[in-house]
Structures are given as C-alpha cells and as structure tokens.
Amino acid sequence: MTTKKIAYQGEPGANSDIACRDVYPDWESLPCASFEDAFTAVQNGVADLAMIPIDNSLAGRVADIHHYLPTSGLHIVGEYFLPIHFDLLALPGTTPEMLKTVRSHVHALGQCRNVISKYGLRPVIAGDTAGSAREVAEFGDPTVAALAPPLAGEVYGLVPLASNVEDAEHNTTRFVVLARESEIPPVNGDLTVTTFVFRVRNLPAALYKALGGFATNGVNMTKLESYMVDGEFTATVFLADVEGHPDEIGLARALEELEFYTTELTVLGVYPGHPFRLASRS
C-alpha cells in the first residue's frame, strides 16, 4: 500500500510539519523549500495534499499565499487551527548561563521577546524556525540556542531549556489544506466555510454594494483582504471567507448579488469549518 503524502513549506519539525502530523498522522509529510514548491508538488502529483499557513493571530496574513492560491488550480478542502508553541532549544548539557545568542525566524523572535530578555540573548534571524534548530545541532556550539517548535527539538536532538516561551498564549496559525480536486461537503447543518476571490467593477461604492448582499442575507464574513495584482494600483482583488455553503439560500443569494458588481469571481474552496471557529466564540 502506497503511503499518501502531504507537502508543506519548511524543514522537518516546523509548525507546518506539526499540522500535517496532527491532521494526517498516517501520511508522509513532504518538506518543501518554498510555498511555490509545495503547490507544485500537489499540482504534479508528487504529493496528494498541501498544508499551507494562511493567517496568524499575531503576524496577520502569511505573505504571498493570496497570490498563489487563485492561479494555482488547487482547491481548499479543509482548514486547521494550530496553537503555536516555542521552546528554547540547545545542545544536550547546555545551561542557560552558557547561552549568548538565539536563532529563529524573525516572527518567532518577535513573539518570544520575554525569554530573550530574561537570558540576555542576542537574537539572530534565521530563515526558518525548524531550520534554526537544525543549525544549532550542526554548529555544535553550546553558546547558541534556537527558538523552535518542540518537534524540532526531537528531530534534531536538542533539549528544551524552557518550554512554551511565546509571549502571547493566543498565538494561533490557521492552515488550509489544498488538493487537486474539490471536495465539497453536503449541506447537513454543520459549519461550512466558503473561500473566494473577486474583483469589483471600477464604480463608486462598488465594494460597499457588493458586500451588501452578505449583510442582508445574514451571511457571516470572517475574512476580507485586498491585494494588488499585476502591479496596478487600480486592479484590486479581494480574498474573502464566509461561513456558509453556496447551496444554502442565504449565501447563494449573496454570491448572486456579488456577481452583479464584480468582473471576476472565483470560489477557491467549500470545506468543513474547524471546531476552533466555534470554540473561539465562547
């Protein structure tokens, strides 16, 4: 039996690797050097799915993903919310007093300022959180530590000098699962999310009017972001998430009204909403 593969951007032990293992524990995680490589792995059939981060509760949207998604030909078939935790990782036998520098991705360094200050460490920017753990293992220098997910410590043989050192407890990353074919769930009363991109007509109040249908039809829009395309300031595209299924009357009417005010409308995925959405409301 051939093991299915799920691609992700990053090195073994990265948060994306953790997300893959959490959702698809029996699959093989396929590390890729870039997001584009992860998309290509699915497009070419090297991987069955891709696990791609799209938002972080502290850092906001993940750069470039909104550019790749609409043109990739892939479909969102699921989502996953991963609480982000960092450990201060070092070589076995190292004590905090021995440390001088700490390596990690720029976002991780910014999200773990308290522990950096506590031990008086000099932050050094690395390209990847898990990659910084690999580098510490390769350097063999007991004065250098890494801020990385706990899994990275296991992968590269490092030990945690401090665990869960992130400054904010609510640090969470939302991932989307991408596939070559769409997998639209049935309308059965469960929470469903629909993601789409659209471009409004160049008319006064076009965006205001385009979004009016969601309000009047009681559709909850949980995400709306704009970005430029083709280097044109007037070519604004919007990426949106709404709670609902296109076959439900409310969202069907809202999308029909949206089309009247747009020049492009592309649904990127209709997929089950993760339980985190409901839990975060309570």
Side-chain angles (χ1 to χ4, degrees):
M1 181 177 178
T2 303
T3 302
K4 291 188 175 183
K5 296 181 180 180
I6 179 166
Y8 68 92
Q9 185 277 325
E11 299 196 29
N15 283 309
S16 294
D17 187 9
I18 295 174
C20 291
R21 298 182 189 214
D22 284 354
V23 183
Y24 299 94
D26 298 327
W27 289 35
E28 178 184 345
S29 297
L30 179 66
C32 298
S34 67
F35 289 122
E36 190 171 10
D37 289 342
F39 277 73
T40 301
V42 179
Q43 293 165 340
N44 294 344
V46 175
D48 301 276
L49 299 174
M51 181 74 71
I52 302 296
I54 192 168
D55 298 297
N56 177 267
S57 59
L58 295 179
R61 74 182 182 190
V62 178
D64 297 332
I65 300 305
H66 52 290
H67 288 294
Y68 291 135
L69 270 174
T71 59
S72 67
L74 302 180
H75 304 267
I76 302 175
V77 297
E79 66 174 356
Y80 182 61
F81 290 81
L82 175 70
I84 301 301
H85 299 294
F86 294 110
D87 284 358
L88 182 66
L89 300 171
L91 296 171
T94 301
T95 63
E97 294 74 22
M98 299 166 65
L99 298 178
K100 295 181 180 179
T101 63
V102 60
R103 305 176 63 85
S104 196
H105 187 274
V106 62
H107 285 167
L109 294 172
Q111 294 167 13
C112 301
R113 290 191 177 95
N114 290 341
V115 72
I116 295 174
S117 175
K118 177 180 178 180
Y119 293 115
L121 304 178
R122 179 173 63 86
V124 177
I125 296 175
D128 181 85
T129 54
S132 68
R134 174 184 53 78
E135 291 168 348
V136 169
E138 291 175 349
F139 293 161
D141 184 348
T143 69
V144 182
L147 285 167
L151 178 60
E154 299 175 18
V155 170
Y156 300 109
L158 303 179
V159 296
L161 300 184
S163 298
N164 296 344
V165 297
E166 60 279 357
D167 298 338
E169 294 182 0
H170 63 78
N171 190 358
T172 303
T173 294
R174 175 182 174 233
F175 292 82
V176 291
V177 181
L178 304 180
R180 288 184 295 278
E181 303 293 334
S182 62
E183 300 176 6
I184 300 178
V187 178
N188 57 10
D190 293 339
L191 177 62
T192 302
V193 179
T194 299
T195 297
F196 54 93
V197 292
F198 64 95
R199 188 186 307 213
V200 296
R201 299 181 184 278
N202 191 16
L203 298 170
L207 178 61
Y208 173 79
K209 294 176 181 177
L211 297 181
F214 296 94
T216 56
N217 287 285
V219 176
N220 184 28
M221 180 171 286
T222 60
K223 176 187 179 78
L224 179 65
E225 293 187 342
S226 64
Y227 59 96
M228 304 297 179
V229 294
D230 301 326
E232 299 180 13
F233 286 95
T234 57
T236 301
V237 174
F238 294 89
L239 172 67
D241 290 337
V242 295
E243 294 183 351
H245 195 293
D247 290 342
E248 294 172 333
I249 188 65
L251 182 53
R253 288 175 174 170
L255 291 174
E256 182 180 5
E257 188 168 338
L258 176 65
E259 282 191 273
F260 183 78
Y261 296 102
T262 62
T263 57
E264 298 176 23
L265 173 60
T266 303
V267 174
L268 301 180
V270 181
Y271 49 95
H274 190 268
F276 181 89
R277 287 180 176 270
L278 295 177
S280 62
R281 296 175 183 173
S282 59

